[in-house]
DNA sequence: ACATGGATTCGCT
DNA sequence: GCGAATCCATGTT
């Protein structure tokens, strides 16, 4: 297992979104290791992408998107859930990849504990399907904003050497995005049952 | 300051 | 497959 370095992330967002599929996201908590295979991603590409948080330019919230690739962009959505993004492309180019679903690999008990703690989410179904639940399962919060995947000791990516077959489709939940609504920038591992839809 | 609205989820059909 | 709840951080759209 090798850990992708800065160069892996400092490529166009679409390439990173595809490249992340089949890789393992590892989270080290006080209780142990949680890990999952990335099976669903979405790319958000630049200020002209009307679905992207960068569409209004640089703000306090999205500033990390304008930094170098490989850092985490985490934000609160609907007042309750966090979403996990990985910044792509080079400094000053605001691109990011939303992680939408993981296939559990290790730490199933910890995942269930985290979901139970959250209360709203039942622990017995669809463990890491959907970006909000995935963050609950991994016990991620605002303190991970700006975390560096290339050097962090509590969250990182490992390359399992897999090159899965990939399908592209329109992104989820962005009906407001006008001409960008139909862009096929959502990527899934072909035939995998752990994707969110 | 504060109204706004959302890169969702769940539960019901 | 669809509709509605939910609620706080964000940007002032």
């Amino acid at each position: 297992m090798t850990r992708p370095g800065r160069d892996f992330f400092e490529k166009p967002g679409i390439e990173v979104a595809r490249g992340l599929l089949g890789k393992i996201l590892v989270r080290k908590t006080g209780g142990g290791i949680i890990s999952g295979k990335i099976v669903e991603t979405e790319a958000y590409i630049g200020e002209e992408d009307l679905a992207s948080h960068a569409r209004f330019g640089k703000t306090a919230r999205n500033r990390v998107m304008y930094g170098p690739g490989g850092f985490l962009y985490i934000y609160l959505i609907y007042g309750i859930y966090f979403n996990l993004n990985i910044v792509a492309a080079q400094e000053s180019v605001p691109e990011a990849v939303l992680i939408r679903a993981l296939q559990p690999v290790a730490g199933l008990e910890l995942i269930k504990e985290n979901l139970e703690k959250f209360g709203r989410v039942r622990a017995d179904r669809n463990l890491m399907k959907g970006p909000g639940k995935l963050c609950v399962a991994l016990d991620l919060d605002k303190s991970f904003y700006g975390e560096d995947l290339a050097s962090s000791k509590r969250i990182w990516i490992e390359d399992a050497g897999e090159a899965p077959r990939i399908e592209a489709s329109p992104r989820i939940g962005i009906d407001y995005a006008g001409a960008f609504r139909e862009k096929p920038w959502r990527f899934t591992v072909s035939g995998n049952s752990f994707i969110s839809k």
Side-chain angles (χ1 to χ4, degrees):
Chain A
M1 294 270 216
T2 60
R3 180 159 164 164
R6 186 79 53 218
D7 56 322
F8 171 82
F9 300 104
E10 297 208 315
K11 288 182 295 193
I14 289 171
E15 203 177 318
V16 176
R18 300 180 69 102
L20 282 169
L21 293 179
K23 289 195 169 44
I24 309 295
L25 180 63
V26 185
R27 165 84 171 101
K28 187 176 181 183
T29 72
I33 296 274
I34 300 171
S35 69
K37 180 162 79 171
I38 299 171
V39 295
E40 179 179 356
T41 60
E42 283 180 4
Y44 289 84
I45 304 299
E47 294 182 345
E48 56 296 345
D49 179 357
L50 296 176
S52 172
H53 286 173
R55 67 189 181 278
F56 300 125
K58 190 174 183 176
T59 66
R61 176 169 72 154
N62 67 23
R63 77 192 131 78
V64 72
M65 289 179 77
Y66 287 77
F71 289 79
L72 297 186
Y73 171 38
I74 292 202
Y75 62 89
L76 188 69
I77 185 72
Y78 294 112
I80 39 181
Y81 296 105
F82 288 104
N83 276 7
L84 169 65
N85 295 251
I86 298 173
V87 176
Q90 315 231 320
E91 174 130 30
S92 84
V93 181
E95 303 191 350
V97 177
L98 171 66
I99 308 299
R100 286 194 60 89
L102 298 178
Q103 174 175 348
V105 169
L108 217 52
E109 287 309 311
L110 293 169
I111 292 170
K112 288 181 180 173
E113 270 175 40
N114 290 334
L115 291 170
E116 271 162 15
K117 249 183 280 170
F118 195 71
R120 283 181 62 102
V121 182
R122 309 226 318 247
D124 56 337
R125 47 187 283 215
N126 303 335
L127 267 28
M128 294 150 101
K129 274 186 190 186
K133 271 196 307 190
L134 179 155
C135 287
V136 173
L138 293 177
D139 194 23
L140 297 177
D141 58 39
K142 203 105 214 279
S143 77
F144 283 83
Y145 185 94
E147 191 91 356
D148 183 6
L149 282 180
S151 67
S152 174
K153 291 186 166 47
R154 50 183 189 159
I155 187 167
W156 63 88
I157 300 278
E158 286 178 3
D159 188 347
E162 257 185 68
R165 205 170 134 202
I166 295 169
E167 283 174 27
S169 55
R171 294 170 292 179
I172 305 289
I174 53 153
D175 289 345
Y176 56 82
F180 283 78
R181 192 164 55 114
E182 297 299 326
K183 296 277 184 196
W185 291 347
R186 169 176 179 249
F187 303 99
T188 55
V189 170
S190 205
N192 189 285
S193 61
F194 290 89
I195 64 178
S196 68
K197 289 203 172 168

